[in-house]
Amino acid sequence: MSRLGPLNWTAIVLTCQHKDSVYAFQRELEARRQRGCLAADTLLLTVCDPQERLGSGGATLNALLVAAEHLSARSGHTVVTADVLDDARVLILHTGRDFPWDGCGRAFCTLPRIRTQSAVEGPVCCLDVLLDCLSTQVCPGSPPGVWVCSTDMILTLPSKVVMSWENFSGVQVLALPGDVSYASNHGVYLADGQGRVRDIIYRGSEDRIQQAILPDGKVPLVSGPVFFCRGVAERLLQTHVMPPLDGCTYLGMDSGAPALFPVFLAKSDEHHTFTVGPQGAAVRSARAVLWKTLRGTLLTMVYIADGSYDYMTLSGKEHICRLIEMGSERETLSHIQVGVNVLHFTGGRVINCILEGDVHVASGAVVQHCHLQGPIHVNSSCLLSGLDVTSSTPVTQLPPTSDIIIQGHRVQLGKLKLSVFTARLDDKSKLRFIKDAQIYNIFFFCLRRPEDLWGAVSDGGDALSLLDARLFPVFQPYSGAVGLEGVRWLLGGAGELESWRGSWRLSLKEVLSLTDQEEELRWREELFFRSARRKAADALRDQSDQSLLPSIRAAVLGGQQEALLNTLDSVAAGSGENLGVAARTLACIADVLGCMAGEGRGGLRSGPAANPVWATAFSLLEQRDLPAAVQALAHQRQCWLSRPDLLVRAARHYEGAGQVLLRQAVMSAQRFASVGQGDMPPMGAWQEVECPARLDLSGGWSDTPPITFERGGAVVNVAVKVDGSRPIGARARRIREPRLLLVSSSRGPDCRVSTETVCETLQDLEDHCQPHAPGALLKAVCVCSGLVSFPSQQPLAEQLLQRWAGGMELHSWSLLPHGSGLGTSSILAGAVLAAVYQCTGRTYDSDSLIHAVLYLEQVLTTGGGWQDQVGGLVGGVKLARSRAGLPLRVEVEQLSLSEEFLTSLQQRLLLVMAPGCEPVAVRSMMAALQPLVLGQSLAGAGGGGFLFLLTRDALQQEIVTDVLRSTQGVGNFSVHTVELDMDGISLIRPS
């Protein structure tokens, strides 16, 4: 089968061996649901094995019973019924035994991987990789039933997994290739040519494993995933009430049934010892029940020849190598202080850490879940895990050697919680005690009594496991808890043997069994969020283009929003003159508030931002008192956190606050608007200018703030006449009356509309920053051009008479429809400014006009970028750029193109306008025109306005018109010719 969409599980059951793990593991499952990794309606359960050494078979039966019980309750049944499995897809995952290299077991071992496409940032564990593999590659397409899998390995599969499910009945297993030598420590399926499994060989001899070799020279490893069809799963479930199998379940235990373990036994002779002893008869009886229940069930194998199976072994060296080889990033979910000198870091791995100061991580070393302060040198093949900042000093005093493994464990002894440190130079799991000889290198160079480690032992030479050796000090009788320095001498560092002997010590096995996994996972989560906040602050201060939304979502889902908001407040308040950083930070605070409201709750993010209770903060922003403004915003924010609708409204005000700062940032362009003073023309003499429209050819949106000053912008556009004329213009003249007569004309659907506004007092100019007010653009020109001063104590009439000996009559017009997408409003602002400058005898150039319009549009509060005015004020085809940084400056380069090319381009450009055209009709138009054009695009910023065409052949106006007339649903339309304008803004001399 080809790859399908992710399987939507009915239930996922995670089993664990320690009852104290249930809450911690359940919390981890729920966190993955919150992050969107698991479906909202999937039943998530964490189930503790009812007894120790139950085995995976008994754990499966118990987990299946618990899943069926919860699904029965969800369906309204009062007893467990197998019918709930009819349409269910259940996944049972076994977390298995303790893992020496991670206190939370193999399932929650963090890997050096990042989900680059994830909407929510978070650590990636073995469990996540396995869930993704099963849900998206192995299991999609399977019928209802139960999947069972261990979590002690990493599966890597090709993008397409071929598994046939047509009329499937029975049990199907997934096998991956392995070498004979590797298989000697694992399980192998022995199957016939049709894929029917005849036997399962666990840790068999080489001769026995040779029987399973496939044509590719590999053997099919027992790789984890096993599928039980619905019928088999229902029959298996029925055994939970059959003695002695009822002893495998919690229900049997609560009913007084005797415990039974293990349940599912392989056929091979290697396991015959399990059937002897006190429970031998019960185990044989259990096997008989299973044989009777499952007899005749077909067990088939699917072999994935190009997949790989990586079992997480007990070898520390292999574990370190695995972490090195798996990661492509040098650091994962970590914060490394700027300026830290990292030695050969490309070959090391830092996972979920905070590193401060001079911390060297050598090639081949791994540091995970640590907060360290330098100077520290982590040598090759070393592993540091779970160390907090207080451990930094003892780490610096360790011997400078490789192959050291140091772990901090959070353990609980009754009601006492403390940290225990383990340290090892090697990963040998067993040693033999030899009387009067040195034991295990420097560990026991002066140790002669094995009872110091294992208690009473015999002289029989039995193998003694380091896992059981009480090496690691926890308490001193008089000084209390022992820190990392207590294990330093084990690694060859300073320390006293007698002090070590006199302490209360634990073995690694005891440490792992006593690990407070909830506290351990909480420490990792705390590190993750602390690191994320530091990285967010760095990204904002460094003006990185990294998206912070995944981190913001993670913080809100993890209940860390208050700490994140405090961090963002600090960044905004401390950004100094860098208004772009402050503006982006306020926008991030708006994102946090929006996430707190919840997706789809509280209303639309876009909306007004002028509630009077926020006015004090906004006033401080306008006064450029950033620290006080941020504090005032935060104070007001506290009153808006109780409901989703209030959170969304608060987010709007933070976005509005960010816009204030963006306006101030773009206003820095004013310093490049250079205007001189010349002779004024006579009173009453009209000064008229005309401008072409513009077509955006490439780079649009890179001119808009904040992109244009954060990352830099580059746009190629062209000045054009429409139907042979420049469609945008303005004229001005001085008049005797000390007032402002403002007339704006625009083209409507069927006529031209004119609006006349008279300003006789300064109060008439108060709405110059409200874009929808009558004559707002012309009023803004009067203020920004220096025609008048606003605000001012001097009356308007007095200003006009003193400066210009009278008032001003100002006209503007556009022959293009509103929303044409041809840059009308910005070009019109440039035209009006030029007319006023001409009328008042001031000198300017196109470069000054471009920057003056940028400033004016911020005053008008319409915002916007610079490409529109560049396109219409400067003639021809040009490339305009702005460099990253403030103040914002635009540089324009006219492109030198041949006359032949310009003529060819001009003859192939056309504009289509269809007033009121719906998106469906636009798609029909574009589809109908596709054979005629090399390219076509809607000119408006929002995908509206004119449709402009670059036709394959020259002079296609009539043909385009005929095609559109015959296209159903287009309605009223018109086709316009385009002529390149090489002059740009032009002064029209009086005739």
Side-chain angles (χ1 to χ4, degrees):
M1 81 176 176
S2 60
R3 180 165 178 165
L4 305 174
L7 182 64
N8 188 7
W9 297 104
T10 307
I12 297 178
V13 186
L14 194 65
T15 72
C16 59
Q17 294 188 344
H18 305 301
K19 64 179 184 300
D20 295 334
S21 304
V22 172
Y23 178 79
F25 288 3
Q26 182 68 24
R27 186 169 174 265
E28 287 297 304
L29 282 180
E30 294 293 347
R32 281 151 179 79
R33 191 209 302 276
Q34 286 185 322
R35 294 201 293 263
C37 302
L38 299 173
D41 58 348
T42 298
L43 176 64
L44 301 179
L45 299 169
T46 302
V47 178
C48 180
D49 295 348
Q51 61 209 30
E52 292 185 2
R53 298 191 296 124
L54 180 61
S56 60
T60 297
L61 179 57
N62 184 64
L64 180 59
L65 169 62
V66 174
E69 182 179 0
H70 280 78
L71 292 174
S72 297
R74 179 185 277 191
S75 300
H77 300 294
T78 56
V79 295
V80 177
T81 172
D83 294 345
V84 296
L85 299 180
D86 287 351
D87 298 314
R89 289 171 171 82
V90 178
L91 174 62
I92 297 174
L93 296 170
H94 297 304
T95 59
R97 293 162 292 185
D98 291 331
F99 184 50
W101 317 122
D102 196 293
C104 295
R106 292 175 171 90
F108 295 102
C109 179
T110 309
L111 303 177
R113 292 185 177 179
I114 299 175
R115 294 180 182 271
T116 55
Q117 302 301 319
S118 178
V120 182
E121 186 179 47
V124 177
C125 303
C126 293
L127 177 65
D128 301 298
V129 175
L130 183 62
L131 273 173
D132 184 66
C133 178
L134 294 174
S135 301
T136 64
Q137 293 181 276
V138 176
C139 305
S142 61
V146 177
W147 283 89
V148 181
C149 190
S150 62
T151 59
D152 56 5
M153 73 293 180
I154 297 171
L155 303 181
T156 304
L157 303 179
S159 58
K160 292 183 179 180
V161 177
V162 180
M163 300 182 74
S164 176
W165 298 107
E166 187 175 358
N167 301 320
F168 177 81
S169 177
V171 179
Q172 187 153 265
V173 298
L174 185 75
L176 296 173
D179 298 323
V180 172
S181 59
Y182 185 84
S184 63
N185 289 316
H186 299 279
V188 175
Y189 292 116
L190 185 62
D192 61 18
Q194 284 72 45
R196 291 174 294 194
V197 177
R198 298 305 185 191
D199 202 352
I200 305 175
I201 307 169
Y202 282 103
R203 295 186 178 180
S205 65
E206 184 173 340
D207 291 341
R208 185 88 169 100
I209 295 173
Q210 290 280 354
Q211 300 175 26
I213 289 183
L214 298 173
D216 62 1
K218 302 291 185 179
V219 293
L221 296 174
V222 175
S223 304
V226 179
F227 175 73
F228 297 83
C229 76
R230 179 181 59 198
V232 175
E234 290 177 351
R235 279 183 289 168
L236 181 61
L237 177 62
Q238 292 168 4
T239 66
H240 85 274
V241 294
M242 299 179 184
L245 288 175
D246 58 347
C248 295
T249 69
Y250 91 93
L251 204 58
M253 177 178 287
D254 288 356
S255 301
L260 176 71
F261 52 85
V263 176
F264 297 139
L265 303 179
K267 298 178 182 177
S268 56
D269 294 338
E270 285 83 357
H271 292 268
H272 74 279
T273 55
F274 285 141
T275 62
V276 300
Q279 278 208 331
V283 171
R284 287 192 294 271
S285 175
R287 294 186 67 177
V289 172
L290 285 174
W291 175 258
K292 182 178 179 180
T293 303
L294 302 178
R295 183 180 181 183
T297 300
L298 182 64
L299 175 59
T300 57
M301 176 188 78
V302 175
Y303 178 67
I304 309 299
D306 54 352
S308 66
Y309 170 86
D310 183 11
Y311 178 74
M312 301 183 70
T313 68
L314 298 179
S315 165
K317 185 169 294 186
E318 289 181 13
H319 181 66
I320 293 172
C321 291
R322 179 184 297 108
L323 294 178
I324 294 294
E325 293 168 359
M326 287 188 65
S328 59
E329 301 290 333
R330 67 177 193 175
E331 57 90 10
T332 306
L333 303 176
S334 300
H335 179 263
I336 300 175
Q337 181 178 304
V338 175
V340 171
N341 183 17
V342 181
L343 179 65
H344 303 306
F345 200 29
T346 54
R349 294 291 177 265
V350 178
I351 307 169
N352 193 34
C353 291
I354 297 175
L355 304 184
E356 301 172 334
D358 191 16
V359 179
H360 295 250
V361 181
S363 177
V366 175
V367 182
Q368 63 179 14
H369 311 307
C370 293
H371 184 176
L372 300 177
Q373 289 180 341
I376 292 175
H377 193 119
V378 185
N379 290 302
S380 178
S381 301
C382 288
L383 169 64
L384 302 186
S385 179
L387 306 182
D388 62 17
V389 72
T390 61
S391 305
S392 295
T393 300
V395 169
T396 64
Q397 299 169 353
L398 292 173
T401 183
S402 300
D403 302 308
I404 288 179
I405 298 176
I406 302 177
Q407 294 171 275
H409 307 264
R410 285 138 196 89
V411 303
Q412 183 163 1
L413 301 170
K415 294 184 178 180
L416 179 64
K417 294 187 176 184
L418 48 88
S419 294
V420 175
F421 298 91
T422 58
R424 292 171 293 290
L425 268 173
D426 198 272
D427 58 31
K428 296 177 183 176
S429 60
K430 290 187 177 181
L431 62 93
R432 290 187 178 273
F433 170 68
I434 304 175
K435 196 170 185 179
D436 296 329
Q438 291 187 353
I439 299 178
Y440 197 41
N441 298 332
I442 66 169
F443 275 8
F444 318 117
F445 66 95
C446 59
L447 193 61
R448 297 295 182 269
R449 296 180 300 174
E451 57 268 24
D452 281 344
L453 294 179
W454 293 281
V457 295
S458 66
D459 293 334
D462 293 335
L464 301 176
S465 171
L466 279 180
L467 290 175
D468 295 314
R470 289 178 174 159
L471 289 167
F472 309 113
V474 178
F475 277 113
Q476 289 282 0
Y478 301 106
S479 58
V482 178
L484 180 57
E485 58 275 0
V487 298
R488 191 166 55 211
W489 81 273
L490 291 173
L491 302 175
E496 296 181 1
L497 176 60
E498 291 307 316
S499 175
W500 173 85
R501 253 188 192 146
S503 64
W504 180 49
R505 287 169 277 113
L506 293 175
S507 68
L508 179 58
K509 185 175 182 179
E510 290 170 326
V511 169
L512 293 174
S513 66
L514 293 170
T515 295
D516 186 341
Q517 292 175 322
E518 183 180 351
E519 190 63 29
E520 183 67 38
L521 291 169
R522 201 178 300 280
W523 160 252
R524 298 178 186 183
E525 183 183 74
E526 180 187 345
L527 263 183
F528 164 70
F529 285 122
R530 261 195 280 159
S531 172
R533 290 194 295 271
R534 293 186 179 205
K535 290 195 297 180
D538 285 350
L540 291 168
R541 295 186 181 113
D542 297 342
Q543 296 180 270
S544 162
D545 56 3
Q546 172 191 351
S547 172
L548 299 183
L549 272 176
S551 179
I552 288 172
R553 296 188 186 106
V556 172
L557 290 174
Q560 299 288 316
Q561 60 270 14
E562 184 176 354
L564 178 57
L565 287 171
N566 290 338
T567 297
L568 295 176
D569 286 340
S570 176
V571 173
S575 55
E577 295 297 317
N578 198 326
L579 298 176
V581 169
R584 183 184 176 189
T585 305
L586 295 183
C588 286
I589 294 177
D591 287 334
V592 175
L593 298 174
C595 288
M596 291 170 63
E599 186 176 357
R601 304 180 64 199
L604 297 173
R605 281 286 299 274
S606 60
N611 191 298
V613 299
W614 296 84
T616 299
F618 275 66
S619 176
L620 290 168
L621 285 174
E622 296 289 0
Q623 298 169 31
R624 305 205 174 194
D625 187 349
L626 194 53
V630 171
Q631 184 177 3
L633 287 168
H635 178 76
Q636 186 57 230
R637 182 178 70 213
Q638 295 300 316
C639 305
W640 296 68
L641 305 179
S642 59
R643 300 197 314 260
D645 61 317
L646 295 179
L647 284 163
V648 169
R649 290 165 63 191
R652 293 172 182 170
H653 283 80
Y654 265 94
E655 288 172 342
Q659 289 299 315
V660 172
L661 297 180
L662 284 181
R663 284 195 285 107
Q664 293 175 355
V666 177
M667 282 179 175
S668 65
Q670 187 185 28
R671 70 180 63 183
F672 304 113
S674 177
V675 179
Q677 184 64 52
D679 296 329
M680 281 193 296
M683 183 74 70
W686 286 105
Q687 304 297 311
E688 183 171 335
V689 295
E690 290 181 347
C691 296
R694 70 101 183 97
L695 289 178
D696 171 22
L697 301 181
S698 176
W701 290 108
S702 70
D703 66 303
T704 58
I707 298 173
T708 190
F709 60 76
E710 285 185 349
R711 314 309 303 172
V715 177
V716 175
N717 61 24
V718 56
V720 295
K721 298 176 182 177
V722 179
D723 293 332
S725 64
R726 298 187 179 102
I728 300 165
R731 60 178 180 170
R733 65 174 179 176
R734 290 189 295 129
I735 57 178
R736 297 291 181 185
E737 299 85 358
R739 61 176 184 167
L740 302 173
L741 177 59
L742 312 176
V743 181
S744 59
S745 301
S746 61
R747 179 177 174 179
D750 300 308
C751 62
R752 294 182 64 174
V753 178
S754 296
T755 301
E756 182 177 301
T757 303
V758 178
C759 299
E760 296 182 329
T761 66
L762 287 178
Q763 285 72 22
D764 296 328
L765 292 172
E766 283 184 343
D767 56 1
H768 73 279
C769 56
Q770 300 176 22
H772 299 293
L777 174 61
L778 301 183
K779 292 178 181 179
V781 168
C782 293
V783 172
C784 295
S785 67
L787 188 65
V788 298
S789 295
F790 183 92
S792 173
Q793 296 297 318
Q794 188 178 21
L796 176 63
E798 186 176 322
Q799 289 188 47
L800 292 172
L801 288 171
Q802 179 179 321
R803 298 182 184 186
W804 318 112
M808 179 77 68
E809 182 176 352
L810 186 56
H811 292 238
S812 67
W813 63 86
S814 170
L815 304 181
L816 300 171
H818 180 72
S820 67
L822 302 185
T824 304
S825 58
S826 298
I827 299 171
L828 185 61
V832 178
L833 277 171
V836 170
Y837 289 155
Q838 287 289 135
C839 188
T840 53
R842 283 176 288 177
T843 58
Y844 60 91
D845 55 21
S846 59
D847 186 66
S848 295
L849 279 182
I850 290 168
H851 292 90
V853 171
L854 261 176
Y855 177 81
L856 181 146
E857 290 188 325
Q858 307 313 309
V859 172
L860 188 59
T861 70
T862 54
W866 42 255
Q867 78 131 324
D868 289 346
Q869 60 263 38
V870 169
L873 300 179
V874 181
V877 183
K878 55 269 178 189
L879 169 62
R881 298 185 181 93
S882 63
R883 301 181 187 276
L886 293 173
L888 176 58
R889 183 169 193 171
V890 183
E891 298 171 327
V892 182
E893 174 189 356
Q894 286 188 299
L895 301 181
S896 178
L897 303 172
S898 68
E899 287 294 329
E900 180 183 5
F901 174 82
L902 294 174
T903 300
S904 179
L905 176 64
Q906 178 174 285
Q907 291 177 344
R908 286 168 171 78
L909 288 175
L910 289 174
L911 293 173
V912 179
M913 174 192 164
C917 194
E918 295 295 327
V920 174
V922 173
R923 287 194 291 269
S924 298
M925 290 171 58
M926 297 180 76
L929 294 171
Q930 185 61 44
L932 301 177
V933 302
L934 295 169
Q936 53 186 323
S937 176
L938 290 169
F946 277 109
L947 173 67
F948 73 87
L949 315 174
L950 180 64
T951 60
R952 296 179 183 275
D953 300 318
L955 307 174
Q956 295 289 293
Q957 182 178 12
E958 292 185 5
I959 296 176
V960 167
T961 301
D962 291 341
V963 168
L964 292 178
R965 281 175 181 162
S966 61
T967 303
Q968 188 175 3
V970 171
N972 184 32
F973 71 92
S974 56
V975 180
H976 304 266
T977 60
V978 172
E979 178 183 338
L980 302 188
D981 188 303
M982 306 307 294
D983 300 319
I985 187 169
S986 300
L987 177 64
I988 307 301
R989 299 296 178 184
S991 55

